[in-house]
Amino acid sequence: MNVGQQIRASHDQTEGPYMVDQNKLFEDLKIWILQLPGVTQATHRFGGTEFQVEGLEFMHHHGPSFLDIRLSKDDQATALKNGTALPHRFAPQTGWVSFRIEKREDLDPARKLIQLAYDNARTSMEAQRTRRAQSRLG
């Protein structure tokens, strides 16, 4: 392995007896996200990829290990209180939380937060469709 490959490998893995390829972990998570009904991916305005349901972003990532996830205010409060998520750096007032994937065991709690965000986004879009339909009738 040349020096460039060693640098990339050290960036992609956490330290410890079981080296973890964070790109692989994120790809596994991405496959799971994209199997959720109606989910699409797009380039995020600040880099990385965002995931949407019916055009509404419910999460994005910065590199393979740092996720930003949009929760309802109640779910956000619960996740922050029980330590499941970190406060978002720039938009904590809007329900956003952050989550770091450092090892395979982090995937399950990440999926749970993402599922909450996905469900919230779907509910929001369904409510928006209902309001539009009612406004056309009225």
Side-chain angles (χ1 to χ4, degrees):
M1 184 180 312
N2 68 33
V3 173
Q5 291 170 322
Q6 290 173 345
I7 291 170
R8 280 191 298 284
S10 68
H11 181 290
D12 293 343
Q13 299 176 350
T14 59
E15 294 183 25
Y18 302 102
M19 299 305 250
V20 176
D21 181 342
Q22 290 180 326
N23 288 316
K24 170 75 170 106
L25 292 178
F26 181 73
E27 284 304 313
D28 290 350
L29 183 63
K30 183 174 155 182
I31 289 167
W32 178 82
I33 294 167
L34 290 171
Q35 62 78 36
L36 295 169
V39 170
T40 57
Q41 63 181 345
T43 301
H44 189 265
R45 64 190 175 277
F46 300 125
T49 302
E50 68 181 51
F51 298 90
Q52 307 169 347
V53 61
E54 297 183 44
L56 179 62
E57 178 189 359
F58 63 93
M59 72 155 289
H60 60 266
H61 73 95
H62 302 280
S65 64
F66 200 81
L67 312 177
D68 287 329
I69 304 167
R70 187 173 193 176
L71 301 174
S72 69
K73 295 291 244 162
D74 288 342
D75 289 339
Q76 178 195 40
T78 300
L80 293 174
K81 183 179 179 181
N82 68 23
T84 309
L86 303 167
H88 189 272
R89 298 167 293 172
F90 303 115
Q93 70 281 4
T94 59
W96 286 96
V97 297
S98 296
F99 187 91
R100 288 195 61 88
I101 298 175
E102 297 175 346
K103 56 192 179 302
R104 181 155 295 282
E105 292 77 20
D106 294 332
L107 291 179
D108 189 48
R111 283 186 191 105
K112 289 177 182 174
L113 289 172
I114 294 165
Q115 184 72 54
L116 287 171
Y118 168 79
D119 292 344
N120 186 52
R122 283 197 60 137
T123 299
S124 293
M125 295 310 289
E126 288 169 8
Q128 186 177 41
R129 278 195 312 277
T130 300
R131 285 190 302 274
R132 284 183 185 154
Q134 289 173 344
S135 70
R136 283 188 221 126
L137 296 174

